[in-house]
Amino acid sequence: MRAVFGWVGLVVALAIVGVLAKKQLAATRTPVPSLQLPAEPGGAAAPAPAGTVREQSQQVQQQVRQQVEGLMQQARPMPDDSK
């Protein structure tokens, strides 16, 4: 009797793992949306570019480069020397 419950438990656990694996694999097959530009200040969202992975990678690199340059232009706050 104990062995029967052991086998049933094993089959149920295997079935649960199988269902979860099937759901996970199905989720990875969904199409990835293309990279979107940030919304413009006017409130209108920019259209998503349809391009290759190389173009999207270059776009992300350019955005990061612009953000870093913008941060480098800001003045660094100076600490107070009143100790």
Side-chain angles (χ1 to χ4, degrees):
M1 188 69 154
R2 185 185 265 180
V4 173
F5 286 129
W7 281 105
V8 170
L10 184 63
V11 169
V12 169
L14 186 61
I16 291 172
V17 169
V19 169
L20 291 175
K22 184 178 178 182
K23 285 184 180 181
Q24 186 68 26
L25 287 174
T28 59
R29 292 184 185 153
T30 58
V32 177
S34 60
L35 186 64
Q36 295 182 2
L37 296 174
E40 296 193 16
T52 63
V53 175
R54 179 183 209 112
E55 292 170 351
Q56 292 177 354
S57 173
Q58 289 174 348
Q59 180 183 10
V60 170
Q61 290 175 4
Q62 183 180 7
Q63 288 175 353
V64 170
R65 188 177 301 119
Q66 289 172 349
Q67 289 176 351
V68 169
E69 288 175 358
L71 291 173
M72 295 297 288
Q73 296 297 325
Q74 294 177 357
R76 190 174 87 182
M78 299 303 289
D80 293 333
D81 290 335
S82 60
K83 286 189 177 181

Coordinates of all heavy atoms in Angstrom, one line a residue:
M1 N 0.8 -1.2 0.0 CA 0.0 0.0 0.0 C 0.9 1.3 0.0 O 0.6 2.2 -0.7 CB -0.9 0.0 1.2 CG -1.9 1.0 1.2 SD -3.1 0.7 0.0 CE -4.5 1.5 0.6
R2 N 1.9 1.2 0.8 CA 2.8 2.4 0.9 C 3.5 2.6 -0.5 O 3.7 3.8 -0.9 CB 3.9 2.1 2.0 CG 4.8 3.3 2.2 CD 5.8 3.0 3.2 NE 5.4 3.4 4.6 CZ 6.2 3.2 5.6 NH1 7.4 2.6 5.5 NH2 5.8 3.6 6.8
A3 N 3.9 1.5 -1.2 CA 4.5 1.7 -2.5 C 3.6 2.3 -3.5 O 4.0 3.0 -4.4 CB 5.0 0.3 -2.9
V4 N 2.3 1.9 -3.4 CA 1.3 2.5 -4.4 C 1.2 4.0 -4.2 O 1.2 4.7 -5.2 CB -0.1 1.8 -4.2 CG1 -1.1 2.5 -5.0 CG2 0.0 0.3 -4.5
F5 N 1.2 4.4 -2.9 CA 1.1 5.9 -2.7 C 2.4 6.6 -3.1 O 2.4 7.7 -3.6 CB 0.9 6.2 -1.2 CG -0.6 5.9 -0.8 CD1 -0.8 5.1 0.3 CD2 -1.6 6.5 -1.5 CE1 -2.1 4.9 0.7 CE2 -2.9 6.2 -1.1 CZ -3.2 5.4 0.0
G6 N 3.5 5.9 -3.0 CA 4.8 6.4 -3.5 C 4.8 6.6 -5.0 O 5.2 7.7 -5.5
W7 N 4.3 5.6 -5.7 CA 4.3 5.7 -7.2 C 3.3 6.8 -7.6 O 3.5 7.5 -8.6 CB 3.9 4.4 -7.8 CG 5.1 3.4 -7.8 CD1 5.3 2.4 -7.0 CD2 6.2 3.5 -8.7 NE1 6.5 1.8 -7.4 CE2 7.1 2.5 -8.4 CE3 6.6 4.4 -9.7 CZ2 8.3 2.3 -9.0 CZ3 7.8 4.2 -10.4 CH2 8.6 3.2 -10.0
V8 N 2.1 6.8 -7.0 CA 1.1 7.8 -7.4 C 1.7 9.2 -7.1 O 1.5 10.1 -7.9 CB -0.2 7.6 -6.6 CG1 -1.2 8.7 -6.7 CG2 -0.9 6.3 -7.0
G9 N 2.3 9.4 -6.0 CA 2.9 10.7 -5.7 C 4.0 11.1 -6.7 O 4.1 12.3 -7.1
L10 N 4.8 10.1 -7.1 CA 5.8 10.4 -8.1 C 5.2 10.8 -9.4 O 5.6 11.7 -10.1 CB 6.7 9.1 -8.2 CG 7.9 9.3 -9.2 CD1 8.8 10.3 -8.6 CD2 8.6 7.9 -9.3
V11 N 4.1 10.1 -9.9 CA 3.5 10.4 -11.1 C 2.8 11.7 -11.1 O 2.9 12.5 -12.0 CB 2.4 9.3 -11.5 CG1 1.6 9.7 -12.6 CG2 3.2 8.0 -11.8
V12 N 2.2 12.1 -10.0 CA 1.6 13.4 -9.8 C 2.7 14.5 -9.9 O 2.5 15.5 -10.6 CB 0.8 13.5 -8.5 CG1 0.3 14.9 -8.2 CG2 -0.5 12.6 -8.6
A13 N 3.8 14.3 -9.2 CA 4.8 15.3 -9.2 C 5.4 15.4 -10.6 O 5.7 16.6 -11.1 CB 5.9 14.9 -8.2
L14 N 5.6 14.3 -11.3 CA 6.1 14.4 -12.7 C 5.1 15.1 -13.6 O 5.5 15.9 -14.5 CB 6.3 13.0 -13.2 CG 7.0 12.8 -14.6 CD1 8.4 13.5 -14.5 CD2 7.2 11.4 -14.9
A15 N 3.8 14.9 -13.4 CA 2.8 15.6 -14.2 C 2.8 17.1 -14.0 O 2.7 17.9 -14.9 CB 1.4 15.0 -13.9
I16 N 3.0 17.5 -12.8 CA 3.0 18.9 -12.5 C 4.3 19.5 -13.1 O 4.2 20.6 -13.7 CB 3.0 19.1 -10.9 CG1 1.7 18.7 -10.3 CG2 3.4 20.6 -10.6 CD1 1.6 18.7 -8.8
V17 N 5.4 18.9 -13.0 CA 6.6 19.4 -13.6 C 6.5 19.5 -15.1 O 6.9 20.4 -15.8 CB 7.8 18.5 -13.2 CG1 9.1 18.9 -14.0 CG2 8.1 18.7 -11.7
G18 N 5.8 18.5 -15.7 CA 5.6 18.5 -17.2 C 4.7 19.7 -17.6 O 5.0 20.3 -18.6
V19 N 3.6 19.9 -16.9 CA 2.7 21.0 -17.2 C 3.5 22.4 -17.1 O 3.4 23.2 -17.9 CB 1.5 21.0 -16.3 CG1 0.7 22.3 -16.5 CG2 0.6 19.8 -16.7
L20 N 4.2 22.5 -16.0 CA 5.0 23.8 -15.8 C 6.0 24.0 -16.9 O 6.2 25.1 -17.4 CB 5.6 23.8 -14.5 CG 4.7 23.9 -13.3 CD1 5.4 23.8 -12.0 CD2 3.9 25.2 -13.3
A21 N 6.7 22.9 -17.3 CA 7.7 23.0 -18.4 C 7.0 23.3 -19.7 O 7.6 24.2 -20.5 CB 8.5 21.7 -18.5
K22 N 5.9 22.8 -20.0 CA 5.2 23.1 -21.2 C 4.7 24.5 -21.3 O 4.9 25.2 -22.3 CB 3.9 22.2 -21.3 CG 3.2 22.3 -22.6 CD 2.0 21.4 -22.7 CE 1.2 21.6 -24.0 NZ 0.1 20.7 -24.0
K23 N 4.2 25.1 -20.1 CA 3.9 26.5 -20.1 C 5.1 27.4 -20.3 O 5.0 28.4 -21.0 CB 3.2 26.8 -18.7 CG 1.8 26.3 -18.6 CD 1.2 26.7 -17.3 CE -0.3 26.2 -17.2 NZ -0.9 26.7 -16.0
Q24 N 6.2 27.0 -19.7 CA 7.4 27.8 -19.8 C 7.9 27.8 -21.2 O 8.3 28.9 -21.7 CB 8.5 27.3 -18.8 CG 9.7 28.2 -18.8 CD 9.5 29.5 -18.1 OE1 8.6 29.6 -17.3 NE2 10.3 30.5 -18.5
L25 N 7.9 26.7 -21.9 CA 8.4 26.6 -23.3 C 7.4 27.4 -24.2 O 7.9 28.0 -25.1 CB 8.5 25.2 -23.7 CG 9.7 24.4 -23.1 CD1 9.6 23.0 -23.6 CD2 11.0 25.1 -23.6
A26 N 6.1 27.4 -23.9 CA 5.2 28.1 -24.7 C 5.4 29.6 -24.6 O 5.2 30.4 -25.5 CB 3.8 27.7 -24.3
A27 N 5.8 30.0 -23.4 CA 6.0 31.5 -23.1 C 7.2 32.0 -23.8 O 7.3 33.2 -24.2 CB 6.1 31.7 -21.6
T28 N 8.2 31.1 -24.0 CA 9.4 31.6 -24.7 C 9.2 31.7 -26.2 O 10.1 32.3 -26.9 CB 10.6 30.6 -24.4 OG1 10.3 29.3 -24.9 CG2 11.0 30.6 -22.9
R29 N 8.2 31.1 -26.7 CA 7.9 31.1 -28.2 C 7.2 32.3 -28.6 O 6.9 32.5 -29.8 CB 7.2 29.9 -28.6 CG 8.1 28.6 -28.5 CD 7.3 27.4 -29.0 NE 8.2 26.3 -28.7 CZ 7.7 25.1 -28.6 NH1 6.4 24.8 -28.6 NH2 8.5 24.0 -28.3
T30 N 6.7 33.2 -27.7 CA 5.9 34.4 -28.1 C 6.9 35.4 -28.7 O 8.0 35.5 -28.3 CB 5.3 35.0 -26.8 OG1 6.3 35.3 -25.9 CG2 4.2 34.1 -26.2
P31 N 6.4 36.1 -29.7 CA 7.3 37.1 -30.4 C 7.7 38.2 -29.4 O 6.9 38.7 -28.6 CB 6.4 37.6 -31.5 CG 5.0 37.3 -31.1 CD 5.1 36.1 -30.2
V32 N 8.9 38.7 -29.5 CA 9.4 39.7 -28.7 C 9.1 41.1 -29.4 O 9.3 41.3 -30.6 CB 11.0 39.6 -28.6 CG1 11.5 40.7 -27.8 CG2 11.3 38.3 -28.0
P33 N 8.5 42.0 -28.6 CA 8.2 43.3 -29.2 C 9.4 44.0 -29.6 O 10.4 43.9 -28.9 CB 7.3 44.0 -28.1 CG 7.7 43.3 -26.9 CD 8.1 41.9 -27.2
S34 N 9.4 44.8 -30.6 CA 10.5 45.6 -31.0 C 10.8 46.7 -30.0 O 9.9 47.1 -29.2 CB 10.3 46.2 -32.4 OG 9.2 47.1 -32.4
L35 N 12.0 47.2 -30.0 CA 12.5 48.2 -29.1 C 11.7 49.5 -29.3 O 11.5 49.9 -30.4 CB 13.9 48.5 -29.3 CG 14.6 49.4 -28.3 CD1 14.6 48.8 -26.9 CD2 16.0 49.7 -28.7
Q36 N 11.2 50.1 -28.2 CA 10.4 51.3 -28.3 C 11.2 52.5 -27.8 O 11.9 52.4 -26.8 CB 9.1 51.2 -27.5 CG 8.2 50.1 -28.0 CD 6.9 50.0 -27.3 OE1 6.7 50.8 -26.3 NE2 6.0 49.1 -27.6
L37 N 11.0 53.6 -28.5 CA 11.6 54.9 -28.0 C 10.8 55.4 -26.9 O 9.6 55.2 -26.7 CB 11.6 55.9 -29.2 CG 12.4 55.4 -30.4 CD1 12.2 56.4 -31.5 CD2 13.9 55.3 -30.0
P38 N 11.4 56.2 -26.0 CA 10.7 56.9 -24.9 C 9.7 57.8 -25.5 O 9.8 58.4 -26.6 CB 11.8 57.6 -24.1 CG 13.0 57.6 -25.0 CD 12.8 56.5 -26.0
A39 N 8.6 58.1 -24.7 CA 7.6 59.0 -25.1 C 8.1 60.4 -25.3 O 8.9 60.8 -24.5 CB 6.4 58.9 -24.1
E40 N 7.6 61.1 -26.2 CA 8.0 62.5 -26.4 C 7.3 63.4 -25.4 O 6.3 63.1 -24.9 CB 7.7 62.9 -27.9 CG 8.5 62.1 -28.9 CD 8.4 62.7 -30.3 OE1 8.0 63.9 -30.4 OE2 8.7 62.0 -31.2
P41 N 7.9 64.6 -25.1 CA 7.4 65.4 -24.1 C 5.9 65.9 -24.4 O 5.2 66.2 -23.5 CB 8.3 66.6 -24.1 CG 9.6 66.1 -24.6 CD 9.2 65.0 -25.6
G42 N 5.6 65.9 -25.7 CA 4.2 66.4 -26.1 C 3.2 65.4 -25.8 O 2.0 65.7 -25.9
G43 N 3.5 64.2 -25.3 CA 2.5 63.2 -24.9 C 2.3 62.1 -26.0 O 1.8 61.1 -25.7
A44 N 2.8 62.4 -27.2 CA 2.6 61.5 -28.3 C 3.7 60.4 -28.2 O 4.9 60.8 -28.1 CB 2.6 62.2 -29.6
A45 N 3.3 59.2 -28.2 CA 4.3 58.1 -28.2 C 5.0 58.0 -29.6 O 4.3 58.0 -30.6 CB 3.7 56.8 -27.8
A46 N 6.3 57.7 -29.6 CA 7.0 57.5 -30.8 C 6.7 56.2 -31.4 O 6.5 55.2 -30.6 CB 8.5 57.7 -30.6
P47 N 6.6 56.0 -32.7 CA 6.3 54.7 -33.2 C 7.5 53.7 -33.0 O 8.7 54.2 -32.9 CB 6.1 54.9 -34.7 CG 6.9 56.2 -35.0 CD 6.7 57.0 -33.7
A48 N 7.2 52.5 -32.7 CA 8.3 51.5 -32.5 C 9.0 51.2 -33.8 O 8.4 51.0 -34.8 CB 7.7 50.2 -31.9
P49 N 10.3 51.3 -33.8 CA 11.1 51.0 -35.0 C 11.1 49.5 -35.3 O 11.2 48.7 -34.4 CB 12.5 51.4 -34.6 CG 12.6 51.2 -33.1 CD 11.2 51.5 -32.6
A50 N 10.9 49.2 -36.6 CA 10.9 47.8 -37.0 C 12.3 47.7 -37.7 O 12.5 48.2 -38.8 CB 9.8 47.6 -38.0
G51 N 13.2 47.0 -37.1 CA 14.5 46.8 -37.7 C 15.1 45.5 -37.2 O 14.5 44.7 -36.5
T52 N 16.3 45.4 -37.6 CA 17.1 44.2 -37.3 C 17.6 44.3 -35.8 O 17.6 45.4 -35.2 CB 18.2 43.9 -38.2 OG1 19.2 45.0 -38.1 CG2 17.8 43.8 -39.7
V53 N 18.1 43.2 -35.3 CA 18.7 43.2 -34.0 C 19.9 44.1 -34.0 O 20.1 44.8 -33.0 CB 19.1 41.8 -33.6 CG1 19.8 41.8 -32.3 CG2 17.8 40.9 -33.5
R54 N 20.7 44.2 -35.0 CA 21.8 45.0 -35.1 C 21.4 46.5 -35.0 O 22.1 47.3 -34.2 CB 22.6 44.8 -36.4 CG 23.8 45.7 -36.6 CD 24.5 45.4 -37.9 NE 25.9 45.7 -37.8 CZ 26.8 44.8 -37.9 NH1 26.5 43.6 -38.1 NH2 28.1 45.1 -37.7
E55 N 20.4 46.9 -35.7 CA 19.9 48.3 -35.6 C 19.4 48.6 -34.3 O 19.7 49.7 -33.7 CB 18.8 48.5 -36.7 CG 19.3 48.5 -38.1 CD 18.2 48.5 -39.1 OE1 17.0 48.3 -38.7 OE2 18.4 48.6 -40.3
Q56 N 18.7 47.7 -33.6 CA 18.2 47.9 -32.3 C 19.3 48.0 -31.3 O 19.3 48.9 -30.4 CB 17.2 46.8 -31.9 CG 15.9 46.9 -32.7 CD 15.0 45.7 -32.3 OE1 15.4 44.8 -31.6 NE2 13.8 45.7 -32.9
S57 N 20.3 47.2 -31.5 CA 21.5 47.3 -30.6 C 22.2 48.6 -30.7 O 22.6 49.2 -29.7 CB 22.5 46.1 -30.9 OG 23.6 46.3 -30.2
Q58 N 22.4 49.1 -31.9 CA 23.0 50.4 -32.1 C 22.2 51.5 -31.6 O 22.7 52.5 -31.0 CB 23.2 50.6 -33.6 CG 24.3 49.7 -34.2 CD 24.4 49.8 -35.7 OE1 23.6 50.4 -36.4 NE2 25.5 49.2 -36.3
Q59 N 20.9 51.4 -31.6 CA 20.0 52.4 -31.1 C 20.1 52.4 -29.6 O 20.2 53.5 -29.0 CB 18.5 52.1 -31.5 CG 17.6 53.1 -30.9 CD 16.1 52.7 -31.2 OE1 15.8 51.6 -31.7 NE2 15.2 53.6 -31.0
V60 N 20.2 51.3 -28.9 CA 20.3 51.2 -27.5 C 21.7 51.8 -27.1 O 21.8 52.6 -26.1 CB 20.2 49.8 -27.0 CG1 20.6 49.7 -25.5 CG2 18.7 49.3 -27.1
Q61 N 22.7 51.5 -27.8 CA 24.1 52.0 -27.5 C 24.1 53.5 -27.6 O 24.7 54.2 -26.8 CB 25.1 51.4 -28.4 CG 25.4 49.9 -28.2 CD 26.3 49.3 -29.2 OE1 26.8 50.0 -30.1 NE2 26.5 48.0 -29.1
Q62 N 23.4 54.0 -28.6 CA 23.3 55.5 -28.8 C 22.6 56.1 -27.7 O 23.0 57.2 -27.2 CB 22.7 55.8 -30.2 CG 22.6 57.3 -30.5 CD 22.0 57.6 -31.8 OE1 21.4 56.7 -32.4 NE2 22.0 58.8 -32.2
Q63 N 21.5 55.5 -27.3 CA 20.7 56.1 -26.2 C 21.5 56.1 -24.9 O 21.5 57.1 -24.1 CB 19.4 55.3 -25.9 CG 18.4 55.5 -27.0 CD 17.2 54.6 -26.8 OE1 17.2 53.7 -25.9 NE2 16.2 54.8 -27.6
V64 N 22.3 55.0 -24.6 CA 23.1 55.0 -23.4 C 24.2 56.0 -23.5 O 24.5 56.7 -22.5 CB 23.7 53.6 -23.2 CG1 24.7 53.6 -22.1 CG2 22.6 52.6 -22.9
R65 N 24.8 56.2 -24.7 CA 25.9 57.1 -24.9 C 25.4 58.6 -24.6 O 26.0 59.4 -23.9 CB 26.4 57.0 -26.3 CG 27.7 57.9 -26.5 CD 28.2 57.7 -27.9 NE 28.6 56.3 -28.2 CZ 28.1 55.6 -29.2 NH1 27.2 56.0 -30.0 NH2 28.4 54.3 -29.3
Q66 N 24.1 58.9 -25.1 CA 23.6 60.2 -24.9 C 23.3 60.4 -23.4 O 23.5 61.5 -22.9 CB 22.3 60.3 -25.7 CG 22.5 60.4 -27.2 CD 21.3 60.4 -28.0 OE1 20.2 60.1 -27.5 NE2 21.4 60.7 -29.3
Q67 N 22.8 59.4 -22.7 CA 22.5 59.6 -21.3 C 23.8 59.8 -20.5 O 23.8 60.7 -19.6 CB 21.7 58.4 -20.8 CG 20.3 58.2 -21.3 CD 19.6 57.0 -20.8 OE1 20.3 56.1 -20.3 NE2 18.4 56.9 -21.1
V68 N 24.8 59.1 -20.8 CA 26.1 59.3 -20.1 C 26.7 60.6 -20.4 O 27.1 61.3 -19.5 CB 27.1 58.1 -20.5 CG1 28.5 58.5 -20.0 CG2 26.6 56.8 -20.0
E69 N 26.6 61.1 -21.6 CA 27.1 62.4 -22.0 C 26.3 63.5 -21.2 O 26.8 64.5 -20.8 CB 27.1 62.6 -23.5 CG 28.1 61.9 -24.2 CD 28.0 62.0 -25.7 OE1 27.1 62.7 -26.2 OE2 28.8 61.4 -26.4
G70 N 25.0 63.3 -21.2 CA 24.1 64.3 -20.4 C 24.5 64.3 -19.0 O 24.5 65.4 -18.3
L71 N 24.7 63.1 -18.4 CA 25.1 63.1 -17.0 C 26.5 63.7 -16.7 O 26.7 64.3 -15.7 CB 25.1 61.7 -16.4 CG 23.7 61.0 -16.3 CD1 23.8 59.6 -16.0 CD2 22.8 61.8 -15.3
M72 N 27.4 63.5 -17.7 CA 28.8 64.1 -17.5 C 28.7 65.6 -17.6 O 29.6 66.3 -17.1 CB 29.7 63.5 -18.6 CG 29.9 62.0 -18.5 SD 30.8 61.6 -16.9 CE 32.4 62.2 -17.3
Q73 N 27.7 66.2 -18.3 CA 27.6 67.6 -18.4 C 27.1 68.3 -17.1 O 27.3 69.5 -16.9 CB 26.7 68.0 -19.6 CG 27.2 67.5 -20.9 CD 28.5 68.2 -21.3 OE1 28.8 69.3 -21.0 NE2 29.4 67.4 -22.0
Q74 N 26.5 67.5 -16.3 CA 26.0 68.1 -15.0 C 27.1 68.4 -14.1 O 28.1 67.7 -14.0 CB 25.0 67.2 -14.4 CG 23.7 66.9 -15.2 CD 22.8 65.9 -14.6 OE1 23.1 65.4 -13.5 NE2 21.6 65.7 -15.2
A75 N 26.9 69.5 -13.3 CA 27.9 69.9 -12.3 C 27.8 68.9 -11.1 O 26.7 68.5 -10.7 CB 27.7 71.3 -11.8
R76 N 29.0 68.5 -10.6 CA 29.0 67.6 -9.5 C 28.8 68.4 -8.2 O 29.4 69.5 -8.0 CB 30.4 67.0 -9.4 CG 30.5 65.8 -8.4 CD 31.8 65.1 -8.5 NE 32.7 65.9 -7.6 CZ 34.0 65.5 -7.5 NH1 34.5 64.5 -8.2 NH2 34.8 66.2 -6.7
P77 N 27.9 68.0 -7.3 CA 27.7 68.7 -6.1 C 29.0 68.7 -5.2 O 29.6 67.6 -5.0 CB 26.5 68.0 -5.4 CG 26.6 66.6 -6.0 CD 27.1 66.8 -7.4
M78 N 29.3 69.8 -4.6 CA 30.5 69.9 -3.8 C 30.1 69.8 -2.3 O 29.1 70.3 -1.9 CB 31.2 71.3 -4.0 CG 31.7 71.5 -5.4 SD 32.8 70.3 -6.0 CE 34.2 70.7 -5.0
P79 N 30.9 69.0 -1.6 CA 30.6 68.8 -0.1 C 30.8 70.1 0.7 O 31.7 70.9 0.3 CB 31.5 67.7 0.3 CG 32.6 67.8 -0.7 CD 32.1 68.3 -2.0
D80 N 30.1 70.2 1.8 CA 30.3 71.3 2.7 C 31.6 71.1 3.5 O 31.8 70.0 4.0 CB 29.1 71.5 3.6 CG 27.9 72.0 2.8 OD1 28.1 72.6 1.8 OD2 26.8 71.7 3.3
D81 N 32.5 72.1 3.6 CA 33.7 72.0 4.4 C 33.5 72.5 5.8 O 34.5 72.8 6.5 CB 34.8 72.7 3.7 CG 35.3 72.0 2.4 OD1 35.0 70.7 2.4 OD2 35.8 72.6 1.5
S82 N 32.3 72.7 6.3 CA 32.1 73.3 7.6 C 32.0 72.1 8.6 O 30.9 71.7 9.1 CB 30.8 74.1 7.6 OG 29.7 73.2 7.2
K83 N 33.2 71.6 9.1 CA 33.2 70.6 10.1 C 33.9 71.1 11.3 O 34.7 72.0 11.4 CB 34.0 69.4 9.6 CG 33.3 68.6 8.6 CD 34.0 67.3 8.3 CE 33.2 66.5 7.4 NZ 33.9 65.2 7.1

